[in-house]
Amino acid sequence: MTKELIKTKKQMKEWLKMDSVHYQTQIGPFWKVLKYNLIAHPCMDQKYTWKYVKTLRHVEYHTNNPGTYHMICRLYYLWKLRRLSYKTAIQIPPNAVGPGINLPHFGAINMNENSQVGRNVTIYSGVRLGWKNPGEPCPVIGDNVFIGTGTNIIGDVH
């Protein structure tokens, strides 16, 4: 499995469109999104996970392109991603997850930067993906996978 990278603005928009399928409460007219966010049950709050995914895609786009403009934008979006990471407890490194990611709940998702996750993957809270010992291979997760709450995938797993 090769890592897919966001290189163009058009590609970033396509990936965000694929991601947005799972965040229908955050897409649409302003009044509808505002209404949902004001009356949403705390357990069903997708506002921050959607913000996290959008910011992650912007970081990926600006990381994969050279130049001063992209460097400045990358620094801004990395700062924003870190702040959202503190709010959501989600730590997904850039260029580790394919399009169509679904994060239904925020909380404790830790992923090693060498892990690879394919397209259309659902990741619940309490998930860890990483190596057993530093420098060893990390997990490679394919397309259309569901990773449930509390799952730890450690080591050279495909």
Side-chain angles (χ1 to χ4, degrees):
M1 181 170 148
T2 59
K3 276 190 179 182
E4 296 180 74
L5 302 176
I6 299 173
K7 289 290 211 173
T8 65
K9 195 164 254 200
K10 180 182 176 189
Q11 194 176 18
M12 181 179 68
K13 288 179 181 181
E14 289 172 5
W15 281 41
L16 282 170
K17 186 175 181 182
M18 290 175 71
D19 293 333
S20 71
V21 169
H22 305 291
Y23 302 95
Q24 291 301 313
T25 60
Q26 299 303 307
I27 308 299
F30 172 77
W31 64 270
K32 197 173 187 180
V33 173
L34 180 65
K35 178 182 167 188
Y36 176 82
N37 289 335
L38 289 175
I39 63 171
H41 187 278
C43 294
M44 300 305 292
D45 190 8
Q46 291 186 337
K47 179 170 80 173
Y48 292 111
T49 54
W50 175 237
K51 281 184 180 182
Y52 187 91
V53 170
K54 284 194 314 187
T55 305
L56 178 65
R57 297 306 184 200
H58 280 87
V59 168
E60 292 172 346
Y61 168 65
H62 292 296
T63 298
N64 299 331
N65 287 292
T68 307
Y69 168 75
H70 290 292
M71 182 186 72
I72 293 168
C73 289
R74 181 176 66 231
L75 291 174
Y76 167 73
Y77 282 110
L78 280 170
W79 170 79
K80 190 174 177 182
L81 189 67
R82 175 157 296 161
R83 288 178 49 91
L84 287 167
S85 183
Y86 293 145
K87 280 185 179 179
T88 61
I90 298 171
Q91 297 174 348
I92 299 175
N95 298 318
V97 180
I101 186 170
N102 182 13
L103 307 172
H105 304 286
F106 56 83
I109 297 173
N110 298 321
M111 189 179 300
N112 185 294
E113 63 185 15
N114 297 321
S115 297
Q116 293 181 22
V117 177
R119 297 169 164 258
N120 304 317
V121 173
T122 299
I123 303 175
Y124 272 64
S125 60
V127 170
R128 283 170 183 67
L129 292 141
W131 54 36
K132 189 172 183 178
N133 296 308
E136 290 184 0
C138 286
V140 176
I141 308 298
D143 297 341
N144 306 312
V145 174
F146 171 85
I147 304 173
T149 301
T151 303
N152 293 313
I153 304 174
I154 307 297
D156 192 16
V157 178
H158 294 269

